[in-house]
Amino acid sequence: MIKKFLAVLLVFAVFGCGQKKSDSGAEPEVSRKRAIPNAVYGDAVVVSMLGDATGLIYNITSDSASHDVADKIYNGLVRYDKNMNIVGDLADSWEIVDDGKGIIFHLNQDVRWHDGKPFTAEDVEFTYKFMIDDKTPTSYDADFRLVSKFEIIDKYTVKVSYNEPFAPALISWGMPMLPKHLLQGQDVKKSPLLRRPVGTGPYKFLEWKAGDSITLVANDDYFLGRPYLDRYIFRIIPDTATTFLELLNGSIDIMGLSPLQWSKQTDSNPRFTSQYNKHMYLASSYDYVGYNQKKPMFQDKRVRQALAYATPKQDIIKGLQFGLGVEATGPYKPGTVWYNPNVKKYDYNIETAKKLLAQAGYKDTNGDGIVEKEGKPLKFELITNQGNTVRTSICEVLQKSWEKIGVKVDIRVLEWATFINEYINKQKFDAVVLGWNILNDPDLYDVWYSGNCGGQKLNFICYQNKELDEQLIAGRKEFDPQKRKEYYFKAQEILAEDQPYTFLMVPNALVAVSKRFNEVRPAPAGIGYNQEDWWVEKDKQKYSFQK
């Protein structure tokens, strides 16, 4: 759902020295300033999205559809390469100064906005001020509010200072830069850039047909070199079954397959095998049930623990995922350095769940099968987004399983934009089945800090815990990976005990990609990190466009 630029171990290494760094000392995976042998221009890539974008200014949107499109339009000062190292993007290089409390960025002097205006230090300053403006409706302001001073040294050099060391500082500047000349003095909520964005990235905006498609065109003046593919087309297809039919017809080029499609509908289907390759890896995401802490029924952790005990995670993984995933116990990917394997577990146990509800004062006094407390039955609405059949099925499994402990659940499935704008952002829900991306940096501040409750903040369930807040703040200030690990291990223990989420599973990423594309090279960063380098041989190209 929601993406955010964060990192850690490399940040520690960079802040640990005072010398100049160019691309963090590492060569990017492929420099697009160098031509790829035999590559030719032309054709397009067509991808699908379950829901339409809500807006195309990355910094003020939080849904995956908007971010997927905006990722192709904008650049930050830094980015991740294929191996998740921090490298330069709009910044050619940087220096860490003032005992780790300052960063001097040296900007690429050959970058132009899509309207031809030069990108300069003034745009970086504008973006910083935009992010900390109380009038800006953003979920991503916290990191920028820690900047104690912003200085323009010259047209292509800026310095940012902090009062104390801040571990995610460097990668926080991966936030997309915004054009000062088009946004200054404007009400961003009414800006034409929401529908017709102007960035510095590899693709420029061409057309948005609401509810149907968004089309981008290759940026001939991209500072790293024009993408080989002429266009990048996003089609809005509200469900995975229809998307799969479009895939078999050759109408889309990339699709995240459902477990059923991956396991039963691909390898034996010549229409699929003749056109597509499959790629599988443990996703950097997890699915969860989130409980709105403003609702009285969820303010007792014993209720949340009871629901966790009554959640058949293994049945969900085996039955809905065909075994293609692992149980989630917290917000980190199992097997990674930040994952705490020793937190409290909630193995499926209906009797334990019933006892916890009884301890919380819930009993079925009238024999209708629903437990109640002070005359109020324990019933609520569970919502999720349209088009994700796995999440809808999870809701149905939970509805049946929770019924066994006397909990009545109604399910509502909502169109994506309505789901985000009218329910999630406004906290107009009881409980939700949703997913988060798992970050490379362990920082959980935006999602879990008590102060990030309400509005369009990411702690939309409004979970508030002072002990957790202390761990999150301390973790952001610590550069020693081992010491930092202690804070986030403790944070996971708190979340496991309190269960503001029932963490469900970390699924496998199941991706189909058209065989006609060259340079498709899966890496730790995923499958699409180098799409500007993808190209198609002339005799295999499907689409042509008039200049």
Side-chain angles (χ1 to χ4, degrees):
M1 175 187 171
I2 299 174
K3 298 178 182 177
K4 187 165 173 279
F5 298 96
L6 295 171
V8 63
L9 289 177
L10 184 65
V11 179
F12 171 68
V14 170
F15 270 83
C17 61
Q19 64 191 46
K20 186 172 181 178
K21 290 288 180 178
S22 177
D23 286 353
S24 67
E27 283 291 323
E29 62 277 7
V30 176
S31 173
R32 286 180 291 279
K33 293 179 181 177
R34 297 192 299 267
I36 296 174
N38 304 316
V40 295
Y41 294 98
D43 209 3
V45 59
V46 183
V47 302
S48 64
M49 303 189 299
L50 289 174
D52 206 346
T54 60
L56 295 179
I57 298 178
Y58 185 110
N59 313 52
I60 63 170
T61 57
S62 59
D63 60 290
S64 59
S66 298
H67 283 189
D68 286 345
V69 179
D71 275 341
K72 304 298 178 185
I73 296 171
Y74 299 97
N75 299 90
L77 299 188
V78 297
R79 64 180 177 88
Y80 287 121
D81 72 4
K82 68 177 182 179
N83 293 315
M84 306 311 297
N85 297 313
I86 303 173
V87 296
D89 199 1
L90 294 177
D92 273 340
S93 62
W94 57 84
E95 302 165 52
I96 307 304
V97 297
D98 303 333
D99 297 322
K101 292 187 289 186
I103 312 173
I104 297 175
F105 288 105
H106 302 277
L107 307 181
N108 187 314
Q109 300 185 26
D110 298 323
V111 179
R112 293 190 175 275
W113 294 100
H114 292 159
D115 62 0
K117 300 291 185 180
F119 166 76
T120 71
E122 289 192 1
D123 295 303
V124 183
E125 180 187 47
F126 171 78
T127 302
Y128 160 67
K129 290 182 177 179
F130 176 88
M131 295 303 296
I132 64 171
D133 189 334
D134 291 337
K135 296 178 182 179
T136 300
T138 182
S139 301
Y140 309 116
D141 57 324
D143 291 356
F144 297 94
R145 291 186 184 277
L146 295 177
V147 174
S148 59
K149 187 177 183 181
F150 186 100
E151 302 171 76
I152 293 180
I153 296 176
D154 60 40
K155 187 176 181 179
Y156 294 106
T157 310
V158 300
K159 180 182 179 182
V160 292
S161 301
Y162 300 82
N163 287 328
E164 55 189 349
F166 173 48
L170 180 59
I171 197 58
S172 71
W173 292 95
M175 181 61 64
M177 296 292 107
L178 299 173
K180 176 181 178 179
H181 65 287
L182 295 176
L183 280 173
Q184 187 176 38
Q186 303 295 313
D187 182 351
V188 70
K189 297 186 291 296
K190 299 178 181 178
S191 172
L193 271 64
L194 280 168
R195 300 289 301 185
R196 300 187 63 85
V198 174
T200 56
Y203 286 92
K204 300 190 293 186
F205 175 83
L206 181 63
E207 182 181 42
W208 186 348
K209 297 179 180 178
D212 180 77
S213 63
I214 299 174
T215 301
L216 310 180
V217 62
N219 178 10
D220 291 336
D221 296 322
Y222 186 47
F223 65 96
L224 290 177
R226 180 198 190 277
Y228 287 102
L229 299 173
D230 286 343
R231 295 194 181 184
Y232 204 109
I233 302 169
F234 298 85
R235 289 186 55 199
I236 294 93
I237 306 174
D239 67 271
T240 56
T242 302
T243 305
F244 188 65
L245 291 177
E246 295 283 349
L247 189 80
L248 295 179
N249 290 334
S251 299
I252 60 175
D253 298 311
I254 307 171
M255 178 185 177
L257 300 172
S258 72
L260 174 64
Q261 292 161 348
W262 177 279
S263 301
K264 305 293 184 181
Q265 300 174 356
T266 51
D267 291 341
S268 61
N269 189 328
R271 293 173 66 195
F272 180 90
T273 56
S274 63
Q275 298 182 82
Y276 301 97
N277 291 316
K278 296 199 302 185
H279 305 273
M280 179 172 68
Y281 45 91
L282 192 63
S284 292
S285 64
Y286 63 87
D287 292 300
Y288 64 90
V289 186
Y291 306 105
N292 188 342
Q293 303 294 292
K294 291 186 175 181
K295 302 291 183 175
M297 71 191 83
F298 296 131
Q299 291 174 359
D300 189 327
K301 74 176 181 181
R302 292 172 295 188
V303 173
R304 304 191 298 266
Q305 290 175 338
L307 294 171
Y309 275 118
T311 298
K313 295 184 184 180
Q314 280 301 318
D315 289 348
I316 290 172
I317 293 170
K318 292 176 182 177
L320 304 182
Q321 284 289 126
F322 290 83
L324 301 173
V326 298
E327 282 193 33
T329 60
Y332 300 113
K333 186 189 294 190
T336 58
V337 64
W338 305 112
Y339 176 76
N340 184 347
N342 299 315
V343 300
K344 183 175 181 178
K345 305 295 196 303
Y346 293 82
D347 296 329
Y348 189 57
N349 193 317
I350 291 295
E351 293 307 312
T352 299
K354 288 179 177 178
K355 290 178 182 177
L356 282 166
L357 288 181
Q359 292 171 15
Y362 283 95
K363 296 181 181 179
D364 181 9
T365 58
N366 58 13
D368 65 353
I370 304 175
V371 296
E372 65 267 353
K373 179 180 181 181
E374 299 175 351
K376 295 182 179 180
L378 185 50
K379 62 180 182 180
F380 57 87
E381 186 174 73
L382 184 62
I383 69 170
T384 196
N385 60 290
Q386 187 182 78
N388 189 314
T389 56
V390 172
R391 287 181 188 163
T392 302
S393 296
I394 287 173
C395 290
E396 293 169 352
V397 169
L398 296 176
Q399 182 186 52
K400 293 177 181 178
S401 187
W402 289 348
E403 184 179 12
K404 296 176 183 178
I405 61 172
V407 177
K408 170 68 173 175
V409 173
D410 294 320
I411 298 170
R412 179 180 292 192
V413 181
L414 296 156
E415 181 272 330
W416 180 254
T418 301
F419 174 73
I420 293 294
N421 294 327
E422 299 301 321
Y423 288 81
I424 298 300
N425 287 346
K426 295 180 180 179
Q427 287 83 48
K428 254 177 56 178
F429 65 93
D430 296 327
V432 58
V433 172
L434 201 50
W436 281 118
N437 289 332
I438 297 174
L439 310 175
N440 298 290
D441 187 278
D443 184 17
L444 303 172
Y445 183 89
D446 285 349
V447 175
W448 292 109
Y449 183 67
S450 295
N452 290 329
C453 156
Q456 295 186 26
K457 299 293 186 180
L458 302 188
N459 183 6
F460 53 78
I461 67 164
C462 287
Y463 173 66
Q464 297 178 309
N465 183 303
K466 290 183 179 179
E467 185 182 11
L468 179 63
D469 290 345
E470 292 171 357
Q471 303 302 313
L472 301 186
I473 291 172
R476 302 184 105 204
K477 298 177 181 179
E478 181 57 65
F479 288 94
D480 184 319
Q482 288 304 313
K483 291 181 180 178
R484 203 168 187 226
K485 183 176 176 180
E486 293 176 9
Y487 293 121
Y488 292 112
F489 267 41
K490 180 61 177 178
Q492 290 170 80
E493 292 168 7
I494 294 169
L495 292 173
E497 172 65 25
D498 270 9
Q499 287 294 292
Y501 286 178
T502 294
F503 296 93
L504 296 173
M505 63 180 174
V506 179
N508 282 347
L510 311 168
V511 186
V513 182
S514 173
K515 290 182 176 180
R516 77 178 192 279
F517 296 113
N518 294 288
E519 297 297 322
V520 179
R521 304 179 186 278
I527 201 78
Y529 65 91
N530 70 332
Q531 283 184 322
E532 296 91 300
D533 295 329
W534 290 15
W535 63 279
V536 180
E537 297 165 23
K538 282 293 185 184
D539 60 350
K540 295 180 180 178
Q541 292 185 7
K542 294 174 62 175
Y543 306 98
S544 60
F545 306 97
Q546 293 182 346
K547 292 289 186 181

